[in-house]
Amino acid sequence: MKKCPGERLCEFVAHKFYANQMSQLTHALELVGQSLSQFHFRYGHEQHGDFQPSNIYYEESTDTVTFIDVGGMGVPTLGGDVDHFHQCIRAMTSSYQANLFVELLRAFDKGYQSPCTPRLQQGFRALR
């Protein structure tokens, strides 16, 4: 299997939070939201099935987002990818700072609701 560029989103969040680089962090979350929106559009609104920060890689230098562990795609789940991601971000950031998840999810939702750009289409990857 190919190696994903970048680092897992969960580590990226920790690094940027502790380096006080919130603008880079919110930018990445917005791009993740755009990438998920494109993923859903491209695959007929099928759900990833386990969309969480440990299954997302982000390469900051190229703004490349890669989803891994998509083998469960299409398997029915209780909630969709967006809801599952929201729950994971809330849980993951609860020990960082009160209400950090609000800013991060605002950026993610903004990206998810925005139209896809040609640059994003080139930078999006999904690996099984």
Side-chain angles (χ1 to χ4, degrees):
M1 179 178 284
K2 295 179 187 178
K3 183 177 180 191
C4 296
E7 64 182 316
R8 289 188 317 166
L9 188 63
C10 48
E11 280 91 16
F12 181 83
V13 169
H15 294 147
K16 293 302 178 183
F17 174 76
Y18 288 114
N20 200 28
Q21 297 177 333
M22 288 303 294
S23 62
Q24 292 94 328
L25 185 50
T26 56
H27 170 77
L29 269 286
E30 186 173 341
L31 192 61
V32 168
Q34 289 175 349
S35 298
L36 182 62
S37 178
Q38 178 63 25
F39 177 87
H40 286 159
F41 177 78
R42 184 179 292 172
Y43 295 106
H45 302 287
E46 289 286 339
Q47 300 297 297
H48 176 282
D50 192 17
F51 194 72
Q52 59 175 304
S54 63
N55 286 335
I56 302 163
Y57 279 73
Y58 176 65
E59 172 54 52
E60 186 174 20
S61 66
T62 60
D63 268 350
T64 300
V65 175
T66 304
F67 300 156
I68 65 167
D69 196 19
V70 294
M73 190 171 140
V75 175
T77 59
L78 292 176
D81 291 339
V82 172
D83 290 337
H84 184 64
F85 186 76
H86 277 225
Q87 292 170 0
C88 290
I89 289 291
R90 281 188 188 104
M92 184 181 85
T93 61
S94 64
S95 64
Y96 291 176
Q97 172 183 321
N99 296 323
L100 173 63
F101 71 91
V102 173
E103 190 171 348
L104 298 182
L105 292 179
R106 185 178 297 129
F108 171 80
D109 291 342
K110 178 182 176 187
Y112 188 79
Q113 295 166 3
S114 70
C116 181
T117 64
R119 182 179 63 98
L120 176 63
Q121 292 173 357
Q122 295 170 357
F124 166 78
R125 298 166 22 134
L127 301 177
R128 284 191 186 259

